Amino acid sequence: MNRPRSNEKQGQRTAVRHVEVSGDDAGRRIDNFLKGILGDVPMSMVYRILRKGEVRVNGGRIKQSYRLAAGDQVRLPPLFLDTSNPVRVPRGAQRRFEAAILFEDDELMVINKPSGWASQGGTGVEFSLIDVARAARPHAPSVDLAHRLDKGTSGCLVLSKNHRALAGVHQVIRDRAVGKFYLALHCGRIPSGLKQFDQALDRDGTTQTALTEIQSVEYLGASTLTHLRLITGRTHQIRAQSASIGYPLAGDQKYGDRAFNRACRRGGLRRLFLHASKIQLPLATGALEVSAPLPEDLEVFLAQARNDA
């Protein structure tokens, strides 16, 4: 009898599937929808099949940001699903997740996401926050990210427990009725009279409008602590806009200033200084407002920066 080689991956190949989108899934992004259907597959696979046009909606190619409508016909390509290395969530991660819960009811959770945790899986990610959330709430109908935070960003992150709640949050976000507030530390002294960042961002060859309100500033020597509110929600919006006008964020390895980052690291900063401090959601069931305390490492760094200023 032939046995599989020890170094061969174990798995199964699925058949082509056609799925009709229900009313409960209307408004969901296609990438989240696929993740829910495909289960424990890496998000890198979801993005790959979307990028290659292997997923079709109503017979046509779509982007990963496409939002589904009730009645949409989704074609899923045949896939090889590797079952040899399922996502394993350490117990310590689940305990840390439980300790980070800021709000929870039957429909939503708001988490004070730790810096260093990816919101969802990808290349090189052993487990993500959504993996931990699903392991922690195995009986919830459908645990999903209602929005995302960068891996290095900490603070308020909303998760839904069912499709209805997810659709509700997404509608609030589309209507720009959500309040997303941040604390950020910038290289340089931002003029106190500057009230917004409005630099457009280039994404995938397209220009996207982006708007961030500056609510207040505090000078700490040659740096500036800002309280910000996102009006639009573009990828890396605060980080990219800050860098584009010459005030990059402390600890930003992608857009930041190397010399400033080295100085901050000598002062004890080991992460991106960007924290989602508060979120406001005017939901049909009532207004929800949740705040996330600044993590201890940022509190300590700020105290030292104020002492040195």
Side-chain angles (χ1 to χ4, degrees):
M1 181 175 65
N2 293 329
R3 297 182 181 274
R5 298 175 185 173
S6 59
N7 63 345
E8 285 183 346
K9 291 183 178 179
Q10 300 174 16
Q12 59 181 2
R13 182 170 292 279
T14 64
V16 172
R17 296 171 59 189
H18 293 85
V19 180
E20 181 172 333
V21 177
S22 68
D24 287 342
D25 286 317
R28 295 184 75 188
R29 277 176 52 128
I30 184 65
D31 50 357
N32 286 332
F33 178 77
L34 293 175
K35 177 66 175 176
I37 289 179
L38 298 175
D40 293 329
V41 301
M43 285 304 295
S44 57
M45 174 184 285
V46 172
Y47 293 139
R48 177 177 58 78
I49 60 178
L50 285 170
R51 186 174 61 252
K52 290 186 174 182
E54 296 177 15
V55 176
R56 300 295 175 105
V57 176
N58 302 326
R61 299 178 62 153
I62 36 77
K63 295 182 178 180
Q64 69 185 50
S65 59
Y66 176 81
R67 293 192 182 276
L68 296 162
D72 275 353
Q73 301 293 321
V74 181
R75 176 195 180 274
L76 303 178
L79 299 170
F80 181 81
L81 303 181
D82 179 11
T83 59
S84 61
N85 294 298
V87 175
R88 291 182 173 86
V89 177
R91 291 184 179 179
Q94 290 196 46
R95 289 193 294 269
R96 192 176 181 189
F97 175 85
E98 296 289 352
I101 296 173
L102 300 168
F103 169 85
E104 182 174 11
D105 63 12
D106 292 338
E107 301 220 321
L108 295 173
M109 304 177 74
V110 182
I111 306 299
N112 187 0
K113 185 186 87 65
S115 176
W117 278 25
S119 294
Q120 60 189 27
T123 303
V125 176
E126 181 182 358
F127 64 88
S128 65
L129 185 141
I130 192 61
D131 294 324
V132 182
R134 288 170 177 162
R137 298 294 182 270
H139 302 300
S142 177
V143 178
D144 273 309
L145 294 165
H147 62 111
R148 293 168 178 77
L149 291 177
D150 293 343
K151 184 177 181 179
T153 305
S154 56
C156 293
L157 180 66
V158 180
L159 298 98
S160 60
K161 292 183 173 181
N162 57 58
H163 298 332
R164 180 181 62 255
L166 182 66
V169 176
H170 282 172
Q171 186 61 54
V172 170
I173 292 174
R174 285 195 296 274
D175 293 342
R176 295 188 181 178
V178 63
K180 294 182 181 179
F181 300 86
Y182 290 78
L183 279 172
L185 185 69
H186 306 255
C187 175
R189 294 173 68 89
I190 296 176
S192 59
L194 185 63
K195 299 303 180 184
Q196 66 182 28
F197 299 148
D198 58 4
Q199 292 72 26
L201 302 177
D202 183 32
R203 291 285 180 267
D204 299 323
T206 62
T207 300
Q208 298 179 341
T209 59
L211 181 61
T212 306
E213 288 183 352
I214 303 175
Q215 297 199 316
S216 65
V217 301
E218 176 186 352
Y219 297 122
L220 302 171
S223 61
T224 308
L225 180 70
T226 61
H227 294 252
L228 307 168
R229 178 178 180 178
L230 279 186
I231 305 303
T232 55
R234 309 304 186 190
T235 301
H236 296 175
Q237 179 170 316
I238 292 174
R239 297 167 60 192
Q241 285 188 317
S242 298
S244 71
I245 61 171
Y247 303 105
L249 297 189
D252 194 331
Q253 300 302 312
K254 181 178 179 66
Y255 303 98
D257 180 275
R258 292 183 180 180
F260 179 60
N261 285 348
R262 285 196 297 269
C264 290
R265 190 169 182 82
R266 287 195 295 270
L269 185 65
R270 298 290 186 269
R271 50 158 292 189
L272 175 70
F273 200 121
L274 183 61
H275 178 70
S277 56
K278 183 170 66 176
I279 191 160
Q280 297 171 332
L281 292 168
L283 301 172
T285 54
L288 176 64
E289 180 175 312
V290 181
S291 296
L294 199 63
E296 183 179 3
D297 59 339
L298 296 188
E299 286 278 18
V300 170
F301 180 78
L302 266 186
Q304 185 61 49
R306 287 181 174 127
N307 185 62
D308 294 340

